[in-house]
């Protein structure tokens, strides 16, 4: 048997009557791709891509809701409507066609949603405790609620079965179901609370109602926090005992969770981002598997194949969840099977996928623009059928590298100029912070992918018009990024007294003493700089005109910064603009902050003022090349969106097409830069 055939990850697994082709699973998650609460074509294609990519099982409908008094908190499926059945059927068909199985997670969100959405029905929970993350106050569920909701679970499960799902899974962490199990969230003194027996009554009623509705042959799983890690909460010992009881009620598999999700800090431990240890709960999953003796799956930052293989090889899990890893690369399993592990686009733990849904948007992977856009964008790049072109790409940041990769895959001859000694652009800076080091994977993967393509990357090569034109290019892509520009502050000559976040992140400047950091951008750069300053021992005041700290940073990434701010007791001043900075005879700086609300200025005397404002385009080369281009830089937006070639011709004397992408256009994030590059270059 060759090594690949013996790979523990590639061994089939029998989950009751289903023979799964390998051990790799995408666990339940809601990408917020539902339309009107239904899994329409976009939803189906997103999951079908993973099936096409070799996964054994994909779980849909993260937190699909069973009743209208559980309104979606992030675009979840409406399992309480019969209308969903044929749509589930289409998803099942699309996944089965590629040899994978598909199950749906079902839930009643309890207090983990909003009182002010959907049908505006009052929320219910075991006890009337507010959940901080959603800020909703539930009522204590009455007996008629519990009977009604158990029946709704059963009806939802039946709909999944009728829609051709291969099974369901009950969400049981942070929602209504487990709210009863945990003494931290169940304070009742009636027959539904108090003793372990009483706290199990509702969960057990739900499992039995579902089992009765779907019969003995349909797979019913549970995704519980076996140990919720809450003070006075469900301990591992009690959790394990509760699981035994629920297995006896009809559960076929357990997808192990450890921890709680009612706060950002808790959520980030259950779904850990970059800067945290790999697979933190894997050994615990192994303990659950040993104790329960039924199939166990588990997902929590098992992002690389070696850890996944270890999990299965050492009997810690039967099925390994690699959920964000599939968002980054839905073809992960087939690449393993083909001996191409080194080509898997890595999940770098950026948390952009989760931050997006918690900010009311849909899931996007920071460096895979095709994920969730399968309706319009392919995951693989095919060679052009037209004549190969000579292309010059200027800049090897995320936009430039993505352009080079796609153009190389298309079969073009590409030269990349990079002024620095290494690729990465702003990602080089971002990944200097130890907690965000993994972001460099976005760069490294692209550099590896360039091997074997007709792409030459020249470092320490500052491109000017002459050097670009010396290559006689058919196409020039300017991906020169942006640079911080403190003149935008309106400080006039005083701008010379401030330093920018890049100076801090790169280590070019090392402010000491009292530092005022003014963040008028609200993204990672400002908070990374703040963290670097705190860790360097400065006494920092973080000032922003925003209503909150880092509005572009969602719940998963927030804790990385919040921890450092809390530990250092960092002074934070919201809703203030930086008005002026002047130097004083004693060498200190006097900064004036202005509150529009109070119409007043306040003074700060500090050693340094650091400013983060995003970047201004580094566009000199672009404008220099513009007159010699055929399109004068113009982009046909409709053609871009339709993935058709750009055919704008404005200048008969022009010799090449000219485009600019990423921050060379305007200050935006990594996803925007890569998306710019991908869709433009797919059609070249
Ligand atoms: C966008 C997104 C939405 C999620 N929604 C749910 C959900 O609704 N229910 C659930 O049980 N887990 C949800 N999860 C958690 C995943 O199933 C998984 O446990 C988590 O991503 C950790 O596994 P990973 O490190 O392999 O990604 C979500 C994850 C992501 C990335
Ligand atoms: S956004 Fe980051 S965490 Fe999410 S899938 Fe992509 S690389 Fe992984």
């Amino acid at each position: 048997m060759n090594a690949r055939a013996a790979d523990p990850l590639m061994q089939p697994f029998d989950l009751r009557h289903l023979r799964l082709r390998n051990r790799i699973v995408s666990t339940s998650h809601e990408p917020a791709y539902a339309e009107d609460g239904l899994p329409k074509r976009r939803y189906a294609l997103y999951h079908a891509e993973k099936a096409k990519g070799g996964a054994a099982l994909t779980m849909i409908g993260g937190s699909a809701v069973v009743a209208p008094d559980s309104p979606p908190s992030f675009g979840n499926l409406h399992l309480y409507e019969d209308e969903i059945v044929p749509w589930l059927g289409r998803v099942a068909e699309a996944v089965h066609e590629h040899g994978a199985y598909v199950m749906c997670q079902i839930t009643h969100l309890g207090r983990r949603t909003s009182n002010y959405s959907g049908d505006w029905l009052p929320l219910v929970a075991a006890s009337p405790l507010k959940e901080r993350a959603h800020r909703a106050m539930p009522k204590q569920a009455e007996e008629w609620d519990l009977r009604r909701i158990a029946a709704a679970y059963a009806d939802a499960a039946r709909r999944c079965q009728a829609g051709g799902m291969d099974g369901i899974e009950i969400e049981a962490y942070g929602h209504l179901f487990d709210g009863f199990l945990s003494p931290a969230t169940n304070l009742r003194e009636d027959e539904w609370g108090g003793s372990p027996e009483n706290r199990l009554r509702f969960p057990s009623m739900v499992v039995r109602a579902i089992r009765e509705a779907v019969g003995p042959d349909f797979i019913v799983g549970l995704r519980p926090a076996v140990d919720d890690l809450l003070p006075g909460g469900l301990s591992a010992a009690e959790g394990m005992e509760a699981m035994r009881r629920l297995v006896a009620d009809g559960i076929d598999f357990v997808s192990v969770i450890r921890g709680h999700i009612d706060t950002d800090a808790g959520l980030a431990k259950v779904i850990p981002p970059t800067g945290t240890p790999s697979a933190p709960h894997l050994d615990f999953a192994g303990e659950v598997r040993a104790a329960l003796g039924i199939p166990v799956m588990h997902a929590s930052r098992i992002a690389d194949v070696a850890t996944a293989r270890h999990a299965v090889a050492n009997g810690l899990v039967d099925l390994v969840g690699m959920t964000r890893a599939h968002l980054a690369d839905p073809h992960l399993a087939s690449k393993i099977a083909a001996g191409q592990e080194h080509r898997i686009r890595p999940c770098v733990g950026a948390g952009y996928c989760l931050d997006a849904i918690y900010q009311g948007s849909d899931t996007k992977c920071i460096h895979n623009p095709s994920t969730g856009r399968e309706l319009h964008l392919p995951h693989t790049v095919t060679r052009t059928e037209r004549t190969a072109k000579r292309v010059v790409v200027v800049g090897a940041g995320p936009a430039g590298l993505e352009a080079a990769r796609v153009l190389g895959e298309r079969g073009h001859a590409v030269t990349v100029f990079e002024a620095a000694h290494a690729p990465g652009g702003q990602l080089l800076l971002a990944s200097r912070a130890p907690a965000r080091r993994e972001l460099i994977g976005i760069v490294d993967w692209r550099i590896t992918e360039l091997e074997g393509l007709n792409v030459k990357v020249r470092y320490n090569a500052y491109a000017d018009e002459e050097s670009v034109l010396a290559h006689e290019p058919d196409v020039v892509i300017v991906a020169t990024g942006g640079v911080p520009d403190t003149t935008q502050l309106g400080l006039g000559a005083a701008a010379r007294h401030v330093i920018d976040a890049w100076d801090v992140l790169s280590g070019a400047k090392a402010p000491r003493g009292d530092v005022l950091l003014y963040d008028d951008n609200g993204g990672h750069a400002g908070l990374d700089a703040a963290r670097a300053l705190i860790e360097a021992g400065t006494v920092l005041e973080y000032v922003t005109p925003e209503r909150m700290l880092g509005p572009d940073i969602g719940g998963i990434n927030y804790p990385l910064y919040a921890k450092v701010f809390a530990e250092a007791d960092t002074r934070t001043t919201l809703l203030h603009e930086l008005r002026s900075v002047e130097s004083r005879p004693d060498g200190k700086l006097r900064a004036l902050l202005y509150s529009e609300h109070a119409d007043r200025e306040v003074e700060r005397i500090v050693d340094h003022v650091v400013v983060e404002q995003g970047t201004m385009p580094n566009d000199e080369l672009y404008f220099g090349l513009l007159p010699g281009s055929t399109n004068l830089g113009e982009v046909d937006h409709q053609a871009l969106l339709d993935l058709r070639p750009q055919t704008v011709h404005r200048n008969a004397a022009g010799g090449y097409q000219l485009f600019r992408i990423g921050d060379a256009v305007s200050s935006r994030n990594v996803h925007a830069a890569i998306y710019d590059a991908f869709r433009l270059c797919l059609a070249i």
Side-chain angles (χ1 to χ4, degrees), residues 323-325 327-328 346-354 364-368:
T323 306
R324 285 169 292 173
L327 279 159
C347 169
V348 297
Y352 189 61
C353 47
L354 270 146
K364 294 166 199 76
C365 173
I366 191 169
H367 76 130
N368 188 342

Side-chain angles (χ1 to χ4, degrees), residues 305-370:
V305 177
T307 308
R309 193 170 281 133
H310 154 78
V312 175
N314 291 291
L316 301 173
V317 298
D318 298 289
L319 298 168
V320 59
M322 301 187 76
T323 306
R324 285 169 292 173
H326 273 94
L327 279 159
D329 193 339
H331 298 170
L332 178 152
S334 56
K335 286 181 184 170
I336 298 173
Q340 302 238 302
E341 274 173 48
H342 60 288
R343 295 204 59 192
I344 293 171
R345 187 186 315 225
C347 169
V348 297
Y352 189 61
C353 47
L354 270 146
D355 283 356
I357 59 166
Y358 284 104
Q359 288 180 319
S361 183
D362 50 0
T363 281
K364 294 166 199 76
C365 173
I366 191 169
H367 76 130
N368 188 342
S370 304

Side-chain angles (χ1 to χ4, degrees), residues 41-198:
R41 205 166 142 65
R42 178 186 187 195
Y43 211 104
L45 290 181
Y46 165 64
H47 284 282
E49 196 69 41
K50 288 178 272 191
K52 204 195 292 178
L57 168 67
T58 184
M59 316 272 302
I60 71 160
S63 311
V65 294
V66 301
D69 65 339
S70 165
S73 53
F74 44 94
N76 315 81
L77 301 179
H78 295 178
L79 277 180
Y80 53 85
E81 284 167 354
D82 287 334
E83 190 190 353
I84 200 166
V85 173
W87 292 104
L88 291 173
R90 283 173 207 123
V91 176
E93 210 174 291
V95 171
H96 290 158
E97 192 185 327
H98 297 288
Y101 291 110
V102 54
M103 299 189 191
C104 185
Q105 184 181 70
I106 74 175
T107 200
H108 189 292
L109 290 160
R111 61 183 187 146
R112 194 173 167 73
T113 183
S114 168
N115 265 316
Y116 310 127
S117 65
D119 295 314
W120 284 58
L121 294 169
L123 304 184
V124 293
S127 295
L129 300 172
K130 186 169 176 169
E131 195 232 42
R132 270 196 225 124
H134 292 76
R135 301 174 48 250
M137 184 54 99
K139 78 158 182 170
Q140 173 162 314
E142 296 169 67
E143 189 157 337
W144 60 268
D145 288 312
L146 299 179
R147 272 189 275 105
R148 161 180 76 73
I149 292 170
Y153 267 104
D155 288 343
R158 214 182 283 119
R159 288 186 191 100
C160 291
Q161 188 179 32
M165 291 287 117
D166 298 300
I168 57 150
E169 168 187 271
I170 304 164
E171 208 277 10
Y173 61 108
H175 294 188
L176 182 69
F177 185 99
D178 56 293
F180 278 84
L181 279 180
S182 174
T185 46
N186 183 346
L187 311 180
R188 302 171 76 114
E189 292 176 352
D190 59 7
E191 63 182 303
W192 306 96
S195 66
E197 186 73 24
N198 280 359

Side-chain angles (χ1 to χ4, degrees), residues 129-423:
L129 300 172
K130 186 169 176 169
E131 195 232 42
R132 270 196 225 124
H134 292 76
R135 301 174 48 250
M137 184 54 99
K139 78 158 182 170
Q140 173 162 314
E142 296 169 67
E143 189 157 337
W144 60 268
D145 288 312
L146 299 179
R147 272 189 275 105
R148 161 180 76 73
I149 292 170
Y153 267 104
D155 288 343
R158 214 182 283 119
R159 288 186 191 100
C160 291
Q161 188 179 32
M165 291 287 117
D166 298 300
I168 57 150
E169 168 187 271
I170 304 164
E171 208 277 10
Y173 61 108
H175 294 188
L176 182 69
F177 185 99
D178 56 293
F180 278 84
L181 279 180
S182 174
T185 46
N186 183 346
L187 311 180
R188 302 171 76 114
E189 292 176 352
D190 59 7
E191 63 182 303
W192 306 96
S195 66
E197 186 73 24
N198 280 359
R199 281 183 277 115
L200 250 173
R201 199 177 306 280
F202 174 66
S204 178
M205 180 164 102
V206 169
V207 174
R208 280 185 278 112
I210 290 175
R211 184 48 83 194
E212 198 181 315
V214 297
D217 298 329
F218 190 62
I219 293 181
V220 179
L222 184 67
R223 193 166 204 212
V226 182
D227 175 357
D228 65 18
L229 299 178
L230 281 169
L234 188 72
S235 66
E238 200 198 318
M240 220 74 96
E241 193 45 44
M243 292 313 119
R244 281 195 196 95
R245 293 280 306 274
L246 295 172
V247 168
D249 286 329
I251 292 297
D252 296 313
F253 72 87
V254 166
S255 177
V256 177
I257 296 285
R258 187 190 209 187
H260 56 98
I261 58 173
D262 53 337
T263 58
D264 285 349
L267 182 70
K269 287 184 183 134
V270 172
I271 312 181
T274 175
T276 62
S278 165
H281 311 300
L282 182 54
D283 289 336
F284 180 69
E287 287 170 32
V288 176
R289 180 173 183 262
L292 292 188
I294 63 165
V296 160
M297 74 171 79
H298 171 64
S300 186
R301 197 154 151 76
I302 303 173
D304 62 291
V305 177
T307 308
R309 193 170 281 133
H310 154 78
V312 175
N314 291 291
L316 301 173
V317 298
D318 298 289
L319 298 168
V320 59
M322 301 187 76
T323 306
R324 285 169 292 173
H326 273 94
L327 279 159
D329 193 339
H331 298 170
L332 178 152
S334 56
K335 286 181 184 170
I336 298 173
Q340 302 238 302
E341 274 173 48
H342 60 288
R343 295 204 59 192
I344 293 171
R345 187 186 315 225
C347 169
V348 297
Y352 189 61
C353 47
L354 270 146
D355 283 356
I357 59 166
Y358 284 104
Q359 288 180 319
S361 183
D362 50 0
T363 281
K364 294 166 199 76
C365 173
I366 191 169
H367 76 130
N368 188 342
S370 304
T371 296
R373 295 195 180 99
E374 286 82 5
L375 266 172
H376 313 288
L377 292 181
H379 276 273
T380 45
V381 179
T382 50
R383 277 182 92 78
T384 179
E385 287 166 4
R386 297 183 294 271
T387 317
K389 294 186 170 163
R390 255 195 315 274
V391 188
V392 170
V393 176
V394 187
L401 283 179
E402 178 69 351
R405 179 186 80 86
V406 177
L407 291 164
E409 295 274 4
R410 299 275 296 145
H412 300 300
V414 185
T415 303
V416 183
F417 285 94
E418 170 53 53
H421 67 284

Side-chain angles (χ1 to χ4, degrees), residues 221 470 546 594:
E546 306 279 359
Y594 172 70

Side-chain angles (χ1 to χ4, degrees), residues 499 503-504 508-515 532-533 536-538 607-610:
I499 58 181
D503 292 330
V504 174
K509 303 246 170 81
R512 292 287 177 264
D514 294 317
V515 180
L533 289 165
T538 66
D607 295 298
H608 299 276
V609 173
V610 179

